[in-house]
């Protein structure tokens, strides 16, 4: 999650025949990244954060990732699982929050057939923090399934690139300072990292995401979700965004709709019915996004030539990304 955008996103394309050491936008200070080195390195390390094994495995197979067996990356005793590998010169790290360790223990005695995925905001926050500290990613992708609102145009198997995130179950009704406490902190509304060319390239739907720790929707949740103008709701996104924002790592959010929250079917029934198929669709979209990202570099300089190219500037206070796509005449 980048800091709030104060400058407009700008895109330009103008082939010439000279070298330029400066991009065609005013350069900001070097980006604050998790590595703390302050330089403008090529984007080489991508962190994909996922809450469910069913969501993770299609991507593990797609990118031919290997499981980190020794478990030395994270503290002893946590259930988090890291898969990693090289894909198109990108270092891909997929971190799944794993199975709840207590339920896994109970499963040995037949009380639970299998451990339960560590879903929700607490696990998402912890995994995000630990992964950023350990892996120093240049970019975070939070990928997962979500409920969609039919009234907002969402349908099962739609995939959204999230424009804004907020919480809908952190109610702090202290009326004297209601706006500061409840809205700015409790709801925690944030704009996500802006990627207009990615949206255009992949023809992705765009919508706002609301996050809470329940699969269903209580009447109080519904009021805040509507106030958040959400198209999709999940159980992790805003938590990942909060941590990414704290540590100044840009993050994007890709959510695939498994069920309609405001439809006629049971939320749980429709979710389970569509989960596997929608996870396949999610993996296809994330793969396309990673393919696109493989051509993205932080700006150091631009070689201008007779080549036809397209440039994308994503302009926030602290981060600039350049997308160059060459087509030689």
């Amino acid at each position: 999650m980048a800091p709030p955008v104060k400058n407009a996103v700008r895109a330009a394309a103008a082939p010439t025949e000279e070298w330029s050491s400066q991009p065609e936008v005013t350069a900001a200070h070097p980006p604050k990244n998790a590595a703390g080195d302050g330089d403008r390195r090529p984007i080489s390390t991508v962190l994909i954060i996922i809450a469910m094994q069913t969501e993770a495995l299609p991507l593990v197979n797609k990118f031919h990732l290997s499981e980190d067996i020794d478990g030395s990356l994270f503290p002893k005793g946590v259930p988090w699982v890291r898969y990693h590998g090289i894909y198109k010169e990108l270092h891909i790290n997929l971190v799944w929050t794993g199975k709840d360790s207590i339920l896994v223990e109970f499963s040995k005695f037949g009380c639970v057939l299998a451990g339960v995925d560590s879903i929700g905001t607490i696990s998402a926050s912890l995994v995000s923090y630990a992964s950023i500290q350990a892996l120093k990613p240049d970019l975070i992708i939070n990928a997962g399934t979500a409920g969609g609102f039919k009234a907002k145009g969402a349908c099962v198997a739609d995939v959204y690139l999230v424009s804004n995130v907020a919480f809908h179950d952190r109610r702090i009704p202290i009326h004297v300072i209601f706006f500061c406490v409840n809205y700015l902190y409790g709801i925690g509304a944030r704009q996500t990292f802006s990627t207009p060319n990615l949206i255009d390239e992949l023809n992705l739907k765009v919508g706002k995401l609301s996050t809470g720790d329940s699969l269903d929707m209580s009447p109080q949740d519904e009021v805040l979700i509507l106030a958040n103008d959400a198209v999709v709701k999940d159980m992790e996104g805003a938590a990942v965004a909060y941590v990414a924002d704290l540590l100044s790592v840009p993050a994007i959010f890709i959510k695939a709709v498994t069920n309609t929250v405001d439809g006629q079917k049971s939320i749980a029934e429709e979710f389970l019915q569509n989960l596997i198929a929608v996870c396949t669709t999610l993996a296809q979209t994330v793969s396309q996004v990673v393919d696109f990202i493989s051509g993205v570099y932080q700006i150091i300089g631009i070689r201008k030539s007779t080549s036809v190219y397209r440039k994308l500037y994503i302009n926030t206070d602290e981060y600039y990304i350049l997308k160059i796509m060459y087509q030689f005449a």
Side-chain angles (χ1 to χ4, degrees):
M1 168 68 64
V5 175
K6 296 181 182 177
N7 302 311
V9 174
R10 308 195 333 183
T16 60
E17 296 188 4
E18 59 191 42
W19 278 88
S20 172
S21 61
Q22 296 295 327
E24 297 174 6
V25 292
T26 303
H29 296 294
K32 296 178 183 177
N33 52 47
D37 50 17
D39 65 353
R40 298 189 177 193
R41 301 170 292 110
I43 291 178
S44 62
T45 301
V46 176
L47 169 61
I48 303 173
I49 296 175
I50 287 187
M52 297 182 66
Q53 187 177 38
T54 308
E55 298 165 340
L57 291 181
L59 287 169
V60 170
N61 295 330
K62 168 63 182 176
F63 297 132
H64 304 290
L65 304 179
S66 301
E67 184 175 348
D68 189 356
I69 302 298
D70 64 14
S72 61
L73 189 70
F74 298 127
K76 184 178 179 180
V78 300
W80 313 331
V81 181
R82 174 203 178 208
Y83 300 92
H84 59 97
I86 304 294
Y87 178 80
K88 295 189 176 180
E89 300 185 359
L90 288 174
H91 295 266
I92 305 294
N93 293 276
L94 187 154
V95 179
W96 162 48
T97 51
K99 301 283 188 180
D100 184 276
S101 58
I102 295 176
L103 291 176
V104 169
E105 288 297 319
F106 273 120
S107 70
K108 295 178 181 178
F109 301 98
C111 298
V112 180
L113 294 178
V116 175
D117 286 300
S118 299
I119 57 178
T121 59
I122 295 175
S123 292
S125 298
L126 289 169
V127 161
S128 298
Y129 178 80
S131 299
I132 291 171
Q133 293 295 96
L135 299 169
K136 316 299 183 190
D138 300 305
L139 181 71
I140 293 171
I141 300 174
N142 175 223
T145 54
F149 287 87
K150 190 176 181 180
K152 293 282 189 179
C155 300
V156 171
D158 282 350
V159 182
Y160 282 85
L161 189 66
V162 174
S163 61
N164 300 76
V165 297
F167 293 97
H168 59 252
D169 62 354
R170 302 205 312 181
R171 295 176 288 274
I172 312 172
I174 303 175
H175 299 291
V176 175
I177 51 174
F178 176 79
F179 179 79
C180 291
V181 174
N182 190 65
Y183 185 78
L184 295 181
Y185 177 73
I187 295 174
R190 288 175 170 81
Q191 182 176 349
T192 65
F193 196 58
S194 180
T195 56
N197 272 17
L198 175 61
I199 294 166
D200 291 343
E201 185 85 7
L202 302 184
N203 194 29
L204 295 173
K205 288 192 170 185
V206 179
K208 295 180 180 180
L209 170 70
S210 194
T211 296
D213 273 307
S214 297
L215 179 68
D216 63 1
M217 183 173 64
S218 71
Q220 286 179 305
D221 287 345
E222 184 176 9
V223 170
L224 285 177
I225 291 170
L226 292 174
N228 290 339
D229 194 28
V231 179
V232 287
K233 68 176 284 287
D234 80 339
M235 298 175 66
E236 292 85 25
V240 175
Y242 173 75
V243 177
D245 195 7
L246 282 179
L247 300 180
S248 299
V249 182
I252 60 176
F253 301 80
I254 303 169
K255 301 294 173 176
V257 177
T258 50
N259 57 279
T260 52
V261 183
D262 55 349
Q264 299 300 314
K265 294 183 179 180
S266 160
I267 290 176
E269 179 183 342
E270 191 174 19
F271 169 78
L272 292 173
Q273 177 183 337
N274 297 319
L275 179 61
I276 294 176
V278 170
C279 284
T280 300
T281 302
L282 174 68
Q284 291 170 349
T285 302
V286 173
S287 175
Q288 292 172 337
V289 169
V290 171
D291 287 340
F292 186 90
I293 291 170
S294 68
V296 176
Y297 296 86
Q298 294 178 26
I299 291 177
I300 299 174
I302 304 170
R303 182 176 184 179
K304 298 180 178 181
S305 68
T306 54
S307 304
V308 178
Y309 58 86
R310 185 175 69 188
K311 296 179 290 186
L312 165 66
Y313 298 115
I314 303 174
N315 185 353
T316 68
D317 280 346
E318 304 194 11
Y319 229 85
Y320 291 87
I321 286 185
L322 168 67
K323 169 73 181 177
I324 303 177
M325 298 180 66
Y326 290 100
Q327 288 182 325
F328 294 100

